[in-house]
Amino acid sequence: MGLFPGNQPWRGQNSHGVHEGAGGDFPLATCARTSTRRHKKGSNESGYGTGYVKPDTGARDWRDYFLLRTYPESMRDYETWPNRQSFRDAISKYTLEMKKLSERLLECLSINLGLSPNYLKEALGELHQDLMINHYPPCPDPSVAIGANKHTDLGGVTCLWQLHHVVGLQVLKDGEWYPVTPAPGAYIINVADMVELASNGIYKSIQHRAVVNPTKRRISIAAF
Ligand SMILES: O=C(O)CCC(=O)C(=O)O
Ligand SMILES: [Fe+2]
């Protein structure tokens, strides 16, 4: 969502080819908390934490997350990563593919503007990538809680994987919230703030949020 310039019809597009091999039970909380440290609010260091919701929103946060700084590689702080080689290998492999995907998307977005394929990549500079693993436990009363409050993402493009097909992501369009139903093997691509800035507002950084589910937990993985 948010892939198309503001003056074009609004629609989503699936990019298929992803297998949910990581499905099943993802032991985020145990894995992250026993091996890493708490994320410092406002910092971009790796670590685990809970979502922050401003007191005036009236909704309580209902999210655990695990933030990993992954690119540039020199900024990886392995001391904050779970100390399991299989985890590290999987994250390294996955984030490399996400890096390639986002670079390719930046090329497509540039070409779509009638500019050189490298335009957005050069405007954004060296790729800084974070991986945010979100875990929303089932919430007995979703009317008083929100998983992730309304926001835009800060980077270039966000590649979001919604696991287990649990609906939760919503995007804001003309003042209305629309659910983004997970499709098997598809990523959600969100245009984020830096692409809006570098395209002079032709691409819009999409406002989005995640709501919680009364019976099912939800996991999403965002690379931005
Ligand atoms: O869980 C989701 O679908 C959204 C997560 C998100 O927006 C984020 O991590 O920035
Ligand atoms: Fe987001």
Side-chain angles (χ1 to χ4, degrees):
M1 297 296 163
L3 238 180
F4 299 94
N7 58 354
Q8 290 189 12
W10 186 72
R11 63 204 159 101
Q13 183 161 302
N14 290 338
S15 65
H16 288 278
V18 183
H19 302 285
E20 298 219 11
D25 217 23
F26 189 83
L28 172 68
T30 316
C31 175
R33 287 182 184 173
T34 54
S35 320
T36 81
R37 66 164 182 235
R38 180 163 272 282
H39 175 241
K40 288 189 206 119
K41 295 268 187 263
S43 83
N44 56 12
E45 291 169 23
S46 303
Y48 70 86
T50 52
Y52 174 69
V53 172
K54 290 191 194 127
D56 61 2
T57 62
R60 293 172 203 154
D61 69 288
W62 203 266
R63 171 171 74 132
D64 295 322
Y65 65 80
F66 185 34
L67 178 72
L68 289 164
R69 162 131 292 192
T70 43
Y71 280 101
E73 270 187 80
S74 59
M75 292 185 75
R76 290 183 188 183
D77 181 359
Y78 287 111
E79 282 188 14
T80 65
W81 291 36
N83 190 14
R84 280 191 206 171
Q85 198 55 46
S86 58
F87 177 91
R88 293 180 178 196
D89 291 347
I91 293 291
S92 299
K93 211 168 155 187
Y94 182 77
T95 53
L96 174 62
E97 292 307 315
M98 290 301 102
K99 178 174 178 288
K100 288 191 226 160
L101 177 61
S102 51
E103 286 170 347
R104 183 76 189 111
L105 285 164
L106 290 177
E107 285 175 7
C108 296
L109 292 170
S110 304
I111 292 166
N112 195 43
L113 291 172
L115 299 170
S116 123
N118 288 329
Y119 173 76
L120 285 170
K121 278 197 285 184
E122 281 169 9
L124 269 53
E126 186 181 16
L127 182 108
H128 281 67
Q129 185 199 62
D130 288 328
L131 193 72
M132 177 74 105
I133 306 175
N134 296 299
H135 174 228
Y136 308 92
C139 174
D141 187 356
S143 68
V144 296
I146 186 93
N149 227 320
K150 179 174 90 167
H151 66 283
T152 56
D153 294 337
L154 298 175
V157 288
T158 301
C159 304
L160 183 82
W161 184 14
Q162 306 189 81
L163 278 74
H164 310 311
H165 317 298
V166 180
V167 183
L169 177 67
Q170 297 183 338
V171 293
L172 190 63
K173 163 78 178 158
D174 299 333
E176 301 242 354
W177 286 105
Y178 291 87
V180 182
T181 310
Y187 277 95
I188 302 298
I189 306 297
N190 285 331
V191 164
D193 296 351
M194 283 168 70
V195 164
E196 176 169 333
L197 286 170
S199 70
N200 232 350
I202 294 175
Y203 293 117
K204 305 286 182 220
S205 183
I206 188 85
Q207 296 256 20
H208 57 285
R209 66 181 186 182
V211 297
V212 284
N213 188 290
T215 55
K216 293 183 195 144
R217 75 193 178 116
R218 178 166 174 271
I219 291 174
S220 68
I221 303 182
F224 28 51

